Amino acid sequence: MTIDKAKQLLAVDNPNKSHLVDCLEDLSKEYGYIQGMTIGNLRDLVSGRKSLAEIQNLIEQIKHKIKCTN
């Protein structure tokens, strides 16, 4: 859901900055969780989740959108 939420926010022309920040926090948690499971050699338990590269890309896009939002 976090990934879908991020994509929806990125599609909006003038999103609320607080929504972007909340989404960034959620994406960061998701990234950390998957990274931790990968390091712990438990990646198969989160195999249905998105890749770290995709989440990192969304994080960068959200950061950019935050900078561009007044």
Side-chain angles (χ1 to χ4, degrees):
M1 183 63 154
T2 301
I3 303 235
D4 294 333
K5 180 180 165 185
K7 289 179 180 179
Q8 289 172 356
L9 279 173
L10 288 169
V12 174
D13 287 335
N14 293 314
N16 184 307
K17 193 170 187 173
S18 66
H19 289 133
L20 288 169
V21 171
D22 290 344
C23 185
L24 181 61
E25 289 173 355
D26 291 345
L27 283 172
S28 295
K29 288 177 189 174
E30 180 77 5
Y31 185 90
Y33 176 73
I34 294 174
Q35 186 179 42
M37 294 298 274
T38 301
I39 290 169
N41 206 20
L42 301 170
R43 178 65 174 130
D44 57 324
L45 296 178
V46 291
S47 61
R49 299 191 181 227
K50 301 296 181 180
S51 71
L52 290 175
E54 181 176 2
I55 295 171
Q56 183 62 42
N57 183 27
L58 287 170
I59 287 171
E60 294 303 319
Q61 289 180 54
I62 293 285
K63 284 180 179 179
H64 177 74
K65 194 121 184 172
I66 289 170
K67 287 179 185 177
C68 296
T69 302
N70 294 332

